[in-house]
Amino acid sequence: MAKKFPLFNGEICINDSILKYDYLRSNYCEILMDWEEHFKKYYKSEVVNLKKLEEAFIDFSNEFTKLVDFSIFVLMENNIDFVDQSKFINMIEDNFPDFEPFHAVEMTMNKIKKASEELASQIQITRSYERSARSHWEGGGFGLGGALKGAFTAGALNMATSVMRGIGDSITDSRDRAKFNRFIKNALQDSECGVLNAFIVQMRLNCFYCLVTIYMFLTEKGKIPKCVFNIDDLMPKINNYMSFSEFGAAYDLLIKSIQINPYSLEVYNHLESLVDKISTSETQENLFKEEIAGLYEYFRPDIFEF
């Protein structure tokens, strides 16, 4: 059954196919948002050294496993019982061959590794540094299979911190060790280094690929209707009508666009711009903004915007 939302002195109707996809999407979003809330608090208060970083990696890995298990639960609810963890992971890899569940964090940790090497050189522990630098994070990832088979935790995580730990352990002078430990703490907590953000972005990507894989499989099996979210042909027209102040035509196309794809941030940005152009009073302006905010809150387009 379609759902109606108030918008600009009228209503916008979202069809049942979109709503069925959104129900699936919302379940993944809830899992993701619960984890993010917990993880952000934990990371900001606890992750100040390499040991705590490893614990954060493990938490991250466990959450990915939880997403996979939930995906299997969704299939079971749809009477599909022949997909286990391993097969579902293969399905993700078939759909997204280049996907690595740890890529964003890996790239961020490489930056910290390089900075730690520079620090090691500065505090003149070159010989110890050369020994510890023999093992390093080569990249390339462990793949989705490894994430659930232990390599994700036992292999990637040890490699991620081996250089930095090796340098830290080789520092014998207490003042130098304290300096190195401060560097690690600052690097892990600094927003510019972006370790926390890398965890969050990567988990959102992981969640998105689980969602898309499940959705594609369910539509293929005829369990839910297929949606076409493509509004690429409409956006240039909307841009033109907005630029030339033809707001009535822009409004009509924006309504059509959001009925096709209620997850486009660009559409919401245009709607907000339109409020300033068509409102005749402050009261009306506030009402229109509340209506857009209600639509935005319901569909949460920003969650999988990368």
Side-chain angles (χ1 to χ4, degrees):
M1 180 173 296
K3 184 175 178 65
K4 295 180 179 180
F5 297 86
L7 189 65
F8 294 177
N9 292 327
E11 290 182 327
I12 182 170
C13 186
I14 305 297
N15 68 45
D16 185 58
S17 296
I18 295 286
L19 295 175
K20 286 181 177 178
Y21 167 77
D22 188 72
Y23 176 77
L24 180 65
R25 181 182 186 271
S26 295
N27 278 283
Y28 279 95
C29 288
E30 289 303 320
I31 295 173
L32 179 67
M33 293 296 99
D34 286 347
W35 175 79
E36 280 194 18
E37 182 180 7
H38 140 77
F39 188 80
K40 286 178 179 177
K41 290 179 181 177
Y42 163 73
Y43 189 96
K44 290 177 180 179
S45 63
E46 299 289 336
V47 182
V48 295
N49 55 50
L50 297 177
K51 179 176 176 56
K52 290 295 184 179
L53 177 64
E54 290 181 356
E55 292 177 6
F57 282 129
I58 293 171
D59 185 280
F60 177 93
S61 179
N62 289 340
E63 183 65 15
F64 176 69
T65 304
K66 183 177 178 180
L67 287 171
V68 171
D69 287 341
F70 175 72
S71 301
I72 295 169
F73 169 78
V74 170
L75 295 177
M76 294 287 288
E77 287 286 288
N78 283 274
N79 299 315
I80 299 172
D81 60 1
F82 55 86
V83 177
D84 58 9
Q85 281 190 349
S86 179
K87 186 165 184 175
F88 182 71
I89 290 167
N90 290 336
M91 289 164 57
I92 298 177
E93 291 177 328
D94 288 342
N95 290 328
F96 308 101
D98 296 329
F99 175 60
E100 290 291 346
F102 203 56
H103 179 74
V105 183
E106 178 182 339
M107 295 300 99
T108 303
M109 291 305 302
N110 274 334
K111 295 178 182 178
I112 296 179
K113 179 180 85 72
K114 291 179 181 178
S116 69
E117 291 169 351
E118 293 175 3
L119 177 62
S121 178
Q122 291 170 7
I123 59 179
Q124 298 179 345
I125 54 168
T126 304
R127 185 172 300 174
S128 297
Y129 156 71
E130 288 173 350
R131 287 198 299 270
S132 65
R134 290 171 189 165
S135 62
H136 58 284
W137 193 332
E138 292 288 358
F142 283 80
L144 290 168
L148 295 182
K149 295 174 184 175
F152 187 68
T153 298
L157 309 189
N158 288 338
M159 291 178 71
T161 56
S162 62
V163 171
M164 290 177 282
R165 184 185 293 105
I167 294 173
D169 291 346
S170 65
I171 300 175
T172 56
D173 183 87
S174 60
R175 289 170 299 179
D176 288 342
R177 181 182 291 275
K179 181 178 180 180
F180 183 81
N181 289 338
R182 283 196 302 272
F183 160 77
I184 293 296
K185 178 180 178 180
N186 292 338
L188 294 177
Q189 291 290 329
D190 188 351
S191 59
E192 291 188 10
C193 291
V195 182
L196 172 58
N197 186 62
F199 274 113
I200 299 300
V201 169
Q202 188 64 61
M203 187 59 74
R204 289 194 178 199
L205 280 167
N206 294 350
C207 185
F208 178 74
Y209 284 118
C210 285
L211 165 63
V212 171
T213 298
I214 282 292
Y215 172 70
M216 292 172 64
F217 192 70
L218 291 178
T219 55
E220 178 186 325
K221 298 298 181 182
K223 299 295 184 178
I224 59 174
K226 184 176 181 179
C227 301
V228 178
F229 297 105
N230 192 335
I231 56 173
D232 291 347
D233 59 330
L234 297 177
M235 295 314 300
K237 298 178 183 180
I238 293 170
N239 293 335
N240 288 336
Y241 285 130
M242 291 293 290
S243 296
F244 288 93
S245 301
E246 296 187 29
F247 302 125
Y251 171 78
D252 291 340
L253 289 177
L254 283 168
I255 295 301
K256 183 177 180 180
S257 295
I258 211 161
Q259 288 175 318
I260 295 171
N261 184 0
Y263 307 106
S264 169
L265 282 177
E266 190 174 6
V267 170
Y268 287 92
N269 290 336
H270 275 308
L271 285 173
E272 290 175 355
S273 297
L274 197 60
V275 169
D276 298 329
K277 310 297 183 183
I278 66 174
S279 299
T280 57
S281 68
E282 183 177 352
T283 300
Q284 188 181 60
E285 179 181 348
N286 291 335
L287 176 62
F288 288 169
K289 287 181 177 180
E290 287 178 8
E291 291 172 344
I292 295 171
L295 198 63
Y296 190 100
E297 184 178 350
Y298 186 91
F299 289 106
R300 295 183 288 188
D302 58 312
I303 290 180
F304 296 129
E305 186 72 19
F306 307 111

